[in-house]
């Protein structure tokens, strides 16, 4: 994908996001406003795909689900998003499948099973580890004693980053100089020279990563993850799969091996079935509109949307898929 096309896509996303502001509202069926019921969508960091695509989803809800308007909100992403949906502070949330699987099982960041249900499987996130070339980091094991951002607290990126380090035989709290930063702060840290590397899990292309590789062309590079894939799968299961960041995505010299994890759109199990079904229908019927906001939405299909195991589908979404 060319830099020019990325710029066009970001501009389109910004236009849509401009129409998605407003006061946040909670409740499993949305808060009542003069314009109808208001739904809150928990997304992620402002330079990540969740935020851009969440803005597009909010726009499409307002246009295509009668009686509803929606607001996309920046958050720390996966774990925080699930917590918000469970508390009723958000109605809809983007999350990585590994964090959602932990939530329904009551493990990892969650002390008990959480009442969430999936509306759809969306697209895959790609784990993106970027390091400065002068740091000498060419593998995850090389992150030892380096200054590394492992993502926002309670984010899916943080979950994966800690598991990556452990899979490489490193103690995240002892062997690396770890900082828990969001993507904008992580990118700035690389630019300022206060970080040697960052870990990010996001769709392709991620705007913040595009910015970093464009600004520091030749001074930063992706770290391949093939050496830690099998240890990750042995420890955490088949939710982790091998993936590739093609060289035309960011204009890198060659393809990069990485680890892919599916993204899910989740809601509280108490959401009205009709609304959950409408959300599933919107994702499929208006895929082209969402793809214009970000190309990652192009991976949404009716067939794959149903494949959310081990996170159960909401009954309303299940009815729609048939």
């Amino acid at each position: 994908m060319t830099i020019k096309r990325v710029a066009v896509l970001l501009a389109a996303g910004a236009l849509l996001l401009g129409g998605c502001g407003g006061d946040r509202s909670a409740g499993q069926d949305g808060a009542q406003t003069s314009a109808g019921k208001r739904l809150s969508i928990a997304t992620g960091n402002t330079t990540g795909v969740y935020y851009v695509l969440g803005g597009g989803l909010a726009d499409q809800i307002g246009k295509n689900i009668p009686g509803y308007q929606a607001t996309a909100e920046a958050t720390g992403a996966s774990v925080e998003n699930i917590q918000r949906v469970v508390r009723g502070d958000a109605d809809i949330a983007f999350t990585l499948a590994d964090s959602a699987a932990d939530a329904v099982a009551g493990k990892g960041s969650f002390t008990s099973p959480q009442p969430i249900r999936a509306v759809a499987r969306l697209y895959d996130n790609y784990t993106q580890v970027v390091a400065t070339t002068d740091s000498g980091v060419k593998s995850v094991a090389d992150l030892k004693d380096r200054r590394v951002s492992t993502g926002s607290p309670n984010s899916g990126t943080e979950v994966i980053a800690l598991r990556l380090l452990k899979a490489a035989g490193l103690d995240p709290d002892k062997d690396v100089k770890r900082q828990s930063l969001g993507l904008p702060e992580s990118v700035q840290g690389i630019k300022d020279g206060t970080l040697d590397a960052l870990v990010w899990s996001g769709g392709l292309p991620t705007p913040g990563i595009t910015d970093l590789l464009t600004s520091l062309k030749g001074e930063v590079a992706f770290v391949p993850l093939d050496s830690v894939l099998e240890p990750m799968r042995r420890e955490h299961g088949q939710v982790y799969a091998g993936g590739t960041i093609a060289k035309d995505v960011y204009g890198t010299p060659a393809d990069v091996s990485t680890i892919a994890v599916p993204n899910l759109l989740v809601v509280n199990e108490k959401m009205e079935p009709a609304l959950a079904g409408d959300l599933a229908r919107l994702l499929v019927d208006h895929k082209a509109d969402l793809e214009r906001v970000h190309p990652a939405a192009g991976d949404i299909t009716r067939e794959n949307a149903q494949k959310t195991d081990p996170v159960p589908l909401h009954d309303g979404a299940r009815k729609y898929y048939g």
Side-chain angles (χ1 to χ4, degrees):
M1 177 174 291
T2 65
I3 296 300
K4 180 178 180 181
R5 187 183 173 202
V6 171
V8 171
L9 288 167
L10 292 180
L15 285 173
L16 283 172
L17 285 169
C20 297
D23 295 335
R24 66 152 311 284
S25 305
Q28 302 311 327
D29 304 312
Q32 190 73 44
T33 71
S34 59
K37 292 183 178 178
R38 171 73 63 176
L39 300 174
S40 171
I41 306 173
T43 63
N45 292 182
T46 55
T47 55
V49 177
Y50 281 0
Y51 187 67
V52 175
L53 196 54
L57 177 61
D59 184 66
Q60 291 303 313
I61 287 172
K63 290 178 177 177
N64 297 292
I65 301 183
Y68 287 94
Q69 296 294 320
T71 302
E73 300 195 21
T75 69
S78 295
V79 175
E80 178 186 333
N81 289 356
I82 292 170
Q83 293 169 340
R84 286 185 177 214
V85 164
V86 170
R87 291 194 306 263
D89 293 337
D91 304 289
I92 304 165
F94 288 80
T95 179
L96 281 164
D98 56 347
S99 294
D102 283 353
V104 297
K107 65 179 185 179
S109 300
F110 305 93
T111 57
S112 63
Q114 303 298 299
I116 61 168
R117 295 292 182 266
V119 169
R121 174 174 173 165
L122 303 173
Y123 60 93
D124 286 350
N125 257 22
Y126 291 80
T127 307
Q128 300 166 62
V129 181
V130 182
T132 60
T133 52
D134 61 6
S135 69
V137 174
K138 298 184 182 303
S139 69
V140 179
D142 290 339
L143 292 173
K144 183 177 174 63
D145 297 326
R146 299 297 193 275
R147 300 165 299 174
V148 184
S149 172
T150 53
S152 302
N154 291 326
S155 67
T157 291
E158 183 179 65
V159 171
I160 291 176
L162 301 185
R163 290 176 177 180
L164 281 175
L165 293 169
K166 291 176 182 176
L170 300 178
D171 184 325
D173 296 316
K174 296 179 180 179
D175 294 332
V176 298
K177 299 170 184 177
R178 182 161 73 90
Q179 298 184 43
S180 299
L181 303 174
L183 184 58
E185 296 79 15
S186 300
V187 169
Q188 194 59 48
I190 295 285
K191 291 180 178 180
D192 294 343
T194 58
L195 286 174
D196 299 305
L198 65 81
V199 182
W200 170 252
S201 178
L204 299 177
T206 292
I209 301 297
T210 299
D211 170 42
L212 180 60
L213 270 67
T214 303
S215 301
L216 298 182
K217 192 174 182 64
E219 298 178 49
V220 292
F222 282 109
V223 177
L225 304 182
D226 46 329
S227 63
V228 292
L229 174 59
E230 287 310 314
M232 290 273 285
R233 287 166 67 91
R234 284 196 301 270
E235 182 68 23
H236 303 290
Q238 303 303 305
V239 70
Y240 296 113
T244 300
I245 302 174
K247 61 183 180 181
D248 62 346
V249 173
Y250 293 113
T252 51
D255 294 348
V256 180
S257 63
T258 187
I259 294 174
V261 186
N263 285 294
L264 305 179
L265 196 69
V266 300
V267 298
N268 194 293
E269 65 181 8
K270 295 178 181 178
M271 176 176 278
E272 285 294 323
L275 177 55
D278 283 343
L279 290 171
R281 181 179 296 104
L282 184 150
L283 290 167
V284 175
D285 290 353
H286 294 276
K287 166 184 168 178
D289 295 309
L290 294 172
E291 192 174 0
R292 280 191 283 272
V293 177
H294 195 282
D299 291 342
I300 299 171
T301 67
R302 183 172 181 139
E303 178 183 3
N304 284 336
Q306 308 171 55
K307 299 175 181 178
T308 63
D309 287 341
V311 182
L313 276 170
H314 191 286
D315 288 344
R318 187 186 304 281
K319 182 177 180 181
Y320 164 70
Y321 295 125

